[in-house]
Amino acid sequence: MATTFAPAELRALARLLDELDYYELLEAPRGTAGTALREAYHAASRRFHPDANRRLDPELRGTVERIARRVTEAYSVLRDPRRRRLYDEALGRGDGPRRLQLVESAATATQRTRDEREGRTPQGRRHFAQATADIARGDVAGALRSLQLALTYEPDNAQFRTRLSELRDKTR
Amino acid sequence: MTEVAIGIDLGTSNSCVAVVRGESPEVLPNAYGEGITASVVAFQDDDGVVVGNGARANVIHAPRTTVYSSKRLIGRYFFSEEVKKARAICSYEIVEGPNHSVRIKVRDREYSLPEISALILGEMRSIAESRLGHPVTKAVVTVPAYFNDNQRQATRDACRIAGLEALRIVNEPTAAALAYGFGKGLSQKVAVYDLGGGTFDISVLEIGKDVFEVLSTCGDTFLGGDDFDDRVIDLLADEFSAEHGVNLRSDPYALEKLKVAAESAKKGLSLEDEVEIRIPAVIEASDGRTLSVERRLGIAEYAGLVNDLILRTFKVCDEAMQQAGLVTRDLSGVILVGGPTRLPLIRNAVRDYFQQEPRADVDPDEVVAMGAALHAASLISSDQKAFLLDVTPLSLRIGVAGGLAETVIERNTPVPIDQTRTFTTFQDFQESVRIRVYQGESRQAAENALLGEFAFSGFARARRGDVKIEVTFEINSDGIVNVTARDPATGQKASTQIALSSGLSEEEIQEILARGSADAVAPPLPPAAATSGAAEDLDVDDLDVLPDLLPDAPSGDADAPEGGARAGLEVELDPDLADLGPRDPSGDLFAPSGTDLSAGADTTEEDPGASAPGSSRRS
Ligand SMILES: Nc1ncnc2c1ncn2[C@@H]1O[C@H](COP(=O)(O)OP(=O)(O)O)[C@@H](O)[C@H]1O
Ligand SMILES: [Mg+2]
């Protein structure tokens, strides 16, 4: 059943939101997992789901929606063993933020982007570095050649391609 | 009069409207007494419009002016695969509108897809009004779970054009589960297998009394009953051409007759083991003789024609089960939705896959609308009786340098949710960044659906890496995306409800609304902008100085395990610039100069869509 909130209560909760950890937000003891975690999420959703709070005035509805999004985030981190471990560790250290990135791949993605930038094969990297040096020397023809060579090793490297087409545009 | 809100299942092939009066939902039948109404719009010679089952008959004698399966096109770009496919098989004219959108051209008028959907919604609304005897202005409208943000927004636009307030956009399988489990106090896990005319969706849910939690959803927007018909059409056309040397596909009338025959053969096979296909006088030969199609088709031969399509649905089911972390014996119920699930061929295959009999007490044509009606009633009542906790079907991504798209919110993450990520600029003293938002599962930006883009400037100019831009992504309970960018240093903010580049602008919607209600024939839209390059479509004039974002590295990145994923805590970024990627020793020469980076990715050989119109739309 939907509970109606006193506006003051909602506003207070919204102010606290960044200080509450995920467990506190779900009103579940630390370590809650499995079915108990799901039940805590369901209980919190019954209170904060935007559908259940349609009648609030727009400002308060915005507040409830913010809380609802955080509830969902808490659940989606805690139900995933890997993310949960990371979160619990951070929480155990006692300081720092109460939220966790939903996508852990930020580091990996950065690495991949870097690979793409510099090349992921030794030859690709070498020719790309050569192209960079060629450009620094103002040797456009050399740079074009080096980039083409780099691309023969990594034909799908979007970064190499972009650089090559830019260089061609410039020389045109 | 008490307030009423209806539930509408706006289907690719058929639509259905239901309402709750008292306790339980009931389907409101159309004037013919039928529960489902064809999602077909026929434009008459006298400028009138017929919608529904009456319009379906027109497909054969007026194929150019009868629009069907238009939902396949809603929220799509003109250059997309789905639109290409539709252009090949549809006998009405599909043309390109502004911003690479899709328009349907009927005689001298062009209609946007939301306008076509609005005509169908208007029909469903008037069915409800005539059954209820009073006006209806509020509805819950369902969409395939796999719809992306563009398609959802376009559906919302259709509601507005039809004069309906869309209380919620609900996923079809979720609505079906609600209709199945509402008020029963169940605690169980169920799968909803929804095979419609053009799409396949599977959702796995956990029902906990009044809470309907979607654990995962997967789908294929290229797979439905129409594809089954295509197999039979191919068979008949190939045999015909071998026998008579005449290609039936090149004649729109003959093709429509083939379609009708293929569909009725399929329906026949849901009741019998063999059907007779007869199309008398399907075409006239060059010597003036009329030729006919006549053939028997048995269930075994039919199974051979469509078996791979059925298997494809189970590959999607595998994915959904895996994402939900379940095995089939965890499920207490399998709910079938959609016309093709009436085929014993499919029922049996589903039973074998899930190792249990699918529920027999659910009407596959009506269950979605009934769920929508239940939710509509719940939303307007003072106490909420059911809670739908859904997920986002597709990963949300942001475009970064190199034509790549980085995940921000993974698919099957519950909604509503938000996520903030910090990025930096690509070049020193960059003035502006272009923020592009995508949905899809590819790291190549161009292979995902572009939801929208906006330029963000006004942050402090500095060396790259020193600039921090916080981008917040928000997905609401309807699955609709909102993105905000902010400079934490200055507090400067730019926000956009991600505007569907392929849909209608706010001005266009206003214009349509100003012209009058959607059940009047909409006058032609203003002619498509005569531009083919699309730089003009953008809200910024200065493309050259707007390179992509480069992702900022989260703190602790350096000691991330090899290849292993590691979470970065979101706030308190350590601006460790050593981690921001390689220095660009000759930044000026390498600076993107009018070349769009994601368009660059379009030109790789691996991308079959490279030559699609507008695939390098911002160069
Ligand atoms: N009795 C039946 N047996 C097999 N297929 C059917 C039957 N009735 C309808 N269909 C097929 O179901 C499809 C439409 O399904 P429907 O659930 O109404 O689609 P949508 O939800 O996409 O509008 C069409 O391909 C139609 O031919
Ligand atoms: Mg359907």
Side-chain angles (χ1 to χ4, degrees):
Chain A
M1 291 300 108
T3 336
T4 32
F5 290 107
E9 190 192 342
L10 268 184
R11 289 199 189 95
L13 182 56
R15 263 196 310 275
L16 268 176
L17 205 53
D18 286 331
E19 276 140 59
L20 294 177
D21 67 44
Y22 291 157
Y23 296 101
E24 289 164 339
L25 185 64
L26 294 178
E27 297 185 13
R30 277 198 196 183
T32 305
T35 313
L37 177 68
R38 165 160 288 133
E39 274 163 11
Y41 167 55
H42 287 188
S45 297
R46 286 185 184 99
R47 303 176 65 201
F48 299 114
H49 195 291
D51 283 353
N53 293 282
R54 287 173 42 82
R55 276 154 207 280
L56 295 175
D57 68 57
E59 180 241 316
L60 275 177
R61 210 159 53 219
T63 305
V64 169
E65 279 169 20
R66 201 158 82 79
I67 300 169
R69 292 196 296 269
R70 194 65 67 84
V71 163
T72 317
E73 175 184 318
Y75 174 63
S76 75
V77 169
L78 295 184
R79 72 169 177 179
D80 173 336
R82 211 158 32 121
R83 280 181 209 162
R84 182 201 180 93
R85 193 160 358 97
L86 289 166
Y87 184 73
D88 285 349
E89 278 166 19
L91 212 56
R93 286 195 295 273
D95 52 60
R98 302 280 192 231
R99 298 180 69 185
L100 191 75
Q101 282 274 23
L102 289 176
V103 176
E104 317 97 294
S105 59
T108 331
T110 307
Q111 178 61 43
R112 276 189 309 219
T113 308
R114 184 178 315 161
D115 285 352
E116 194 95 348
R117 274 159 190 282
E118 292 177 326
R120 49 169 197 280
T121 62
Q123 297 92 333
R125 270 199 294 276
R126 188 155 48 82
H127 291 296
F128 188 63
Q130 182 62 44
T132 307
D134 292 342
I135 287 165
R137 276 203 316 275
D139 177 3
V140 177
L144 279 172
R145 206 168 40 241
S146 301
L147 276 173
Q148 272 159 346
L149 275 168
L151 270 165
T152 57
Y153 291 101
E154 295 177 38
D156 57 343
N157 189 314
Q159 175 77 358
F160 291 2
R161 271 181 185 280
T162 310
R163 294 294 156 111
L164 182 62
S165 69
E166 280 160 15
L167 203 55
R168 285 196 175 126
D169 286 350
K170 285 231 150 96
T171 53
R172 211 172 279 140
Chain B
M1 189 186 71
T2 55
E3 198 185 11
V4 184
I6 53 176
I8 301 177
D9 170 7
L10 178 65
T12 312
S13 319
N14 298 293
S15 296
C16 182
V17 59
V19 74
V20 175
R21 286 186 285 194
E23 285 293 290
S24 48
E26 55 185 305
V27 165
L28 299 170
N30 62 27
Y32 307 91
E34 298 150 330
I36 56 174
T37 297
S39 305
V40 179
V41 178
F43 294 89
Q44 312 286 75
D45 289 335
D46 62 358
D47 273 8
V49 180
V50 177
V51 181
N53 299 354
R56 185 159 43 189
N58 282 46
V59 174
I60 289 195
H61 46 262
R64 305 282 293 165
T65 56
T66 308
V67 180
Y68 54 87
S69 292
S70 62
K71 188 175 155 187
R72 284 180 171 228
L73 302 169
I74 200 164
R76 304 241 185 221
Y77 290 101
F78 186 74
F79 52 78
S80 68
E81 277 309 306
E82 179 68 352
V83 174
K84 272 189 223 157
K85 189 175 161 200
R87 275 162 58 86
I89 60 173
C90 289
S91 37
Y92 53 86
E93 199 176 348
I94 300 168
V95 299
E96 182 166 5
N99 303 337
H100 309 286
S101 66
V102 178
R103 294 283 190 269
I104 290 174
K105 190 167 181 200
V106 182
R107 302 196 190 88
D108 56 342
R109 291 177 167 173
E110 285 181 13
Y111 298 88
S112 67
L113 271 301
E115 285 176 285
I116 302 284
S117 290
L119 290 167
I120 299 164
L121 286 169
E123 178 71 14
M124 302 318 289
R125 173 191 182 173
S126 67
I127 289 170
E129 288 177 340
S130 72
R131 292 286 168 185
L132 296 171
H134 58 74
V136 174
T137 56
K138 295 185 163 116
V140 166
V141 176
T142 60
V143 294
Y146 217 52
F147 256 20
N148 67 29
D149 175 71
N150 289 343
Q151 295 166 303
R152 288 168 196 265
Q153 300 252 20
T155 305
R156 264 201 175 276
D157 292 345
C159 292
R160 281 181 65 191
I161 296 169
L164 276 172
E165 183 194 342
L167 298 174
R168 272 289 304 275
I169 302 287
V170 170
N171 292 330
E172 289 160 11
T174 310
L178 177 63
Y180 159 77
F182 184 81
K184 292 187 190 156
L186 302 176
S187 280
Q188 55 178 235
K189 301 183 182 73
V190 299
V192 180
Y193 178 102
D194 179 356
L195 186 60
T199 55
F200 174 67
D201 274 326
I202 169 90
S203 291
V204 179
L205 292 98
E206 170 138 18
I207 306 175
K209 297 187 200 72
D210 54 348
V211 177
F212 294 75
E213 180 194 345
V214 179
L215 301 178
S216 69
T217 191
C218 288
D220 186 336
T221 46
F222 283 80
L223 182 58
D226 297 349
D227 300 290
F228 286 55
D229 300 345
D230 288 345
R231 294 295 168 84
V232 175
I233 294 170
D234 285 344
L235 174 78
L236 297 177
D238 291 351
E239 287 180 351
F240 196 86
S241 133
E243 190 180 339
H244 302 288
V246 177
N247 182 7
L248 289 178
R249 305 165 153 286
S250 52
D251 178 302
Y253 296 89
L255 183 59
E256 290 306 329
K257 285 181 191 168
L258 278 179
K259 278 187 202 165
V260 172
E263 188 185 2
S264 73
K266 175 180 64 183
K267 288 184 181 169
L269 288 169
S270 69
L271 302 169
E272 289 159 278
D273 286 346
E274 191 177 76
V275 291
E276 169 102 45
I277 300 171
R278 300 184 49 147
I279 317 174
V282 65
I283 205 166
E284 202 167 292
S286 46
D287 61 6
R289 275 182 308 138
T290 59
L291 302 173
S292 306
V293 171
E294 221 163 298
R295 190 191 200 284
R296 297 190 74 77
L297 181 63
I299 193 79
E301 188 179 0
Y302 188 70
L305 292 175
V306 300
N307 195 40
D308 62 308
L309 297 173
I310 299 177
L311 289 180
R312 256 170 70 195
T313 68
F314 296 126
K315 277 189 75 176
V316 184
C317 292
D318 283 345
E319 217 179 303
M321 292 298 288
Q322 195 232 327
Q323 296 246 328
L326 299 182
V327 293
T328 53
R329 68 167 175 280
D330 296 328
L331 299 174
S332 312
V334 175
I335 302 161
L336 294 180
V337 181
T341 65
R342 292 191 186 278
L343 278 170
L345 200 62
I346 291 179
R347 289 190 165 255
N348 295 341
V350 169
R351 185 193 56 213
D352 294 346
Y353 178 85
F354 286 105
Q355 301 280 301
Q356 58 189 290
E357 279 301 332
R359 308 289 315 191
D361 52 351
V362 174
D363 183 310
D365 290 323
E366 300 182 339
V367 65
V368 170
M370 299 215 282
L374 280 166
H375 201 55
S378 174
L379 287 174
I380 57 168
S381 83
S382 51
D383 83 301
Q384 185 74 18
K385 295 190 201 70
F387 299 86
L388 306 184
L389 308 180
D390 225 304
V391 298
T392 181
L394 298 155
S395 298
L396 192 63
R397 292 169 178 271
I398 183 167
V400 293
L404 304 175
E406 199 179 287
T407 310
V408 177
I409 298 177
E410 283 171 339
R411 68 173 170 157
N412 284 317
T413 298
V415 293
I417 202 156
D418 61 45
Q419 178 73 163
T420 301
R421 293 277 295 273
T422 307
F423 296 87
T424 186
T425 43
F426 186 53
Q427 291 175 298
D428 290 344
F429 306 113
Q430 189 171 322
E431 286 180 6
S432 180
V433 291
R434 172 161 300 283
I435 291 167
R436 285 201 187 99
V437 183
Y438 298 89
Q439 252 176 342
E441 307 313 316
S442 172
R443 232 170 64 76
Q444 295 297 325
E447 289 168 11
N448 298 292
L450 175 69
L451 301 187
E453 55 183 328
F454 64 102
F456 178 51
S457 50
F459 45 83
R461 293 183 59 199
R463 292 205 164 270
R464 78 177 211 175
D466 288 347
V467 180
K468 298 260 179 272
I469 299 163
E470 264 179 26
V471 186
T472 299
F473 300 79
E474 208 179 287
I475 308 180
N476 73 13
S477 324
D478 287 353
I480 286 178
V481 177
N482 197 61
V483 177
T484 325
R486 185 175 158 268
D487 175 2
T490 63
Q492 180 86 17
K493 210 167 174 174
S495 138
T496 178
Q497 174 100 30
I498 286 289
L500 161 64
S501 319
S502 67
L504 295 169
S505 65
E506 182 58 31
E507 296 87 76
E508 284 172 306
I509 296 174
Q510 291 301 341
E511 218 174 289
I512 293 166
L513 288 173
R515 273 190 232 124
S517 68
D519 38 26
V521 182
L525 284 171
T531 56
S532 50
E536 293 85 348
D537 306 339
L538 303 171
D539 52 348
V540 275
D541 32 8
D542 211 353
L543 271 178
D544 289 14
V545 295
L546 298 172
D548 275 317
L549 290 163
L550 178 69
D552 204 348
S555 68
D557 182 19
D559 46 53
E562 254 306 287
R566 186 194 153 109
L569 290 176
E570 174 176 312
V571 271
E572 285 199 346
L573 270 171
D574 177 4
D576 175 9
L577 297 189
D579 257 319
L580 282 175
R583 294 288 84 87
D584 219 346
S586 47
D588 347 307
L589 193 48
F590 273 170
S593 54
T595 311
D596 178 88
L597 295 180
S598 55
D602 281 349
T603 58
T604 55
E605 287 94 20
E606 292 73 34
D607 179 12
S611 58
S615 60
S616 50
R617 49 189 174 275
R618 282 164 301 276
S619 49

